[in-house]
Amino acid sequence: MNDQPLHAIVFIDYDNLRQDQKSAGMLDVVTKVLVLVPWDHSITRGRCEVRVYGGWYEGDQMTQLAQNLSAELQREFPAIIRVPFGNNTLALGANAELAVSLLQEPGHHLFNTYRRKGKPANVRVEKPNDVGCVDAACVLPQMRKLLKSGNCPKEGCAVSNCDLVYRHEQKIVDTMLTCDLIHSVDRVSGRVILVSGDDDFLPPLRTVLLRGGAAVRCHPKPSTQRPSFPTGGPQLLEVDL
């Protein structure tokens, strides 16, 4: 039996998780992921890094969600996760952290990853007649005016749409995860495991495979339409979480 330790990394796209998975906690998510991976049965021990990605900094201040998650990770990890297969068990020592910097440059934090933005530029509002609405009090015309002008349509009101209509968005995070996936090929002796159904990560996963790594994509949400790689060449293992 091969008793050489393996080293795997689990990359978790936090916003891609279902709410029940978030509520169950990261240790539960990681345990279920590791059970789904087809490990080499000749290996009995190893270690697993877990990195959780999200918009953790608003400016240079950590968001409340990030603070709560950080406290959870400190409570639950490090942990020994035992993965049964056949008559054997693979014992993985798991550590987890919020991804606040590049894997290649851990000392340099990437701030301003959670930002308040104005209205989305691609929002469109239909005309009432175009959707069969004949209600004289329909709010669609007012919405069109609000989004087009940036001001409240009520005469004399000086409130702008940046006060009324806004959104929060993550920036940098997906690019950081992409860079880390590719960089991880040189760090692991086991598998690169991505927990996300976002197809934007298919190119870096393909790069992992082309560089000789083994990759698994765990889908938090079931789907009947799942783009992947064409047959032939290195293959990505796809599993449902």
Side-chain angles (χ1 to χ4, degrees), residues 2 5 16 46 61 64 81 112 135 139 159 166 172 174 212:
N2 181 3
N16 207 249
Q61 299 296 310
Q64 187 61 56
I81 299 176
N112 201 29
D135 185 354
V139 300
V159 176
Y166 66 91
I172 304 174
D174 286 357

Side-chain angles (χ1 to χ4, degrees), residues 4-185:
Q4 292 299 312
L6 67 81
H7 175 203
I9 305 181
V10 177
F11 300 91
I12 299 177
D13 178 5
Y14 186 78
D15 276 2
N16 207 249
L17 296 176
R18 302 193 311 264
Q19 185 55 52
D20 62 300
Q21 294 164 340
K22 295 176 181 178
S23 298
M26 292 301 98
L27 180 57
D28 182 78
V29 170
V30 173
T31 300
K32 289 177 178 176
V33 166
L34 295 179
V35 169
L36 290 170
V37 174
W39 302 103
D40 182 344
H41 287 197
S42 67
I43 299 174
T44 61
R45 60 191 177 92
R47 65 189 180 96
C48 176
E49 292 181 59
V50 179
R51 287 172 60 82
V52 186
Y53 292 78
W56 305 137
Y57 282 107
E58 188 166 11
D60 61 356
Q61 299 296 310
M62 186 170 277
T63 66
Q64 187 61 56
L65 173 60
Q67 293 178 49
N68 294 342
L69 270 174
S70 180
E72 176 192 324
L73 296 180
Q74 290 178 41
R75 287 195 309 269
E76 301 290 347
F77 295 90
I80 301 296
I81 299 176
R82 302 186 186 280
V83 182
F85 51 86
N87 295 323
N88 297 321
T89 299
L90 170 61
L92 291 170
N95 283 288
E97 64 180 357
L98 296 182
V100 295
S101 60
L102 287 169
L103 196 57
Q104 191 170 3
E105 191 180 27
H108 182 77
H109 282 211
L110 298 175
F111 297 109
N112 201 29
T113 53
Y114 184 70
R115 307 176 190 177
R116 174 167 166 157
K117 303 284 286 187
K119 65 178 180 66
N122 60 348
V123 170
R124 300 292 183 267
V125 179
E126 295 283 0
K127 296 179 181 178
N129 290 339
D130 292 344
V131 294
C133 179
V134 294
D135 185 354
C138 179
V139 300
L140 289 177
Q142 299 298 321
M143 286 296 298
R144 286 173 61 88
K145 291 179 181 179
L146 172 63
L147 294 176
K148 183 177 180 179
S149 69
N151 299 308
C152 176
K154 184 177 180 180
E155 186 176 353
C157 181
V159 176
S160 66
N161 73 329
C162 62
D163 298 308
L164 298 175
V165 181
Y166 66 91
R167 59 194 167 101
H168 281 112
E169 67 174 8
Q170 293 181 168
K171 299 294 290 184
I172 304 174
V173 177
D174 286 357
T175 308
M176 175 168 57
L177 177 47
T178 293
C179 293
D180 287 351
L181 282 168
I182 296 171
H183 176 69
S184 67
V185 180

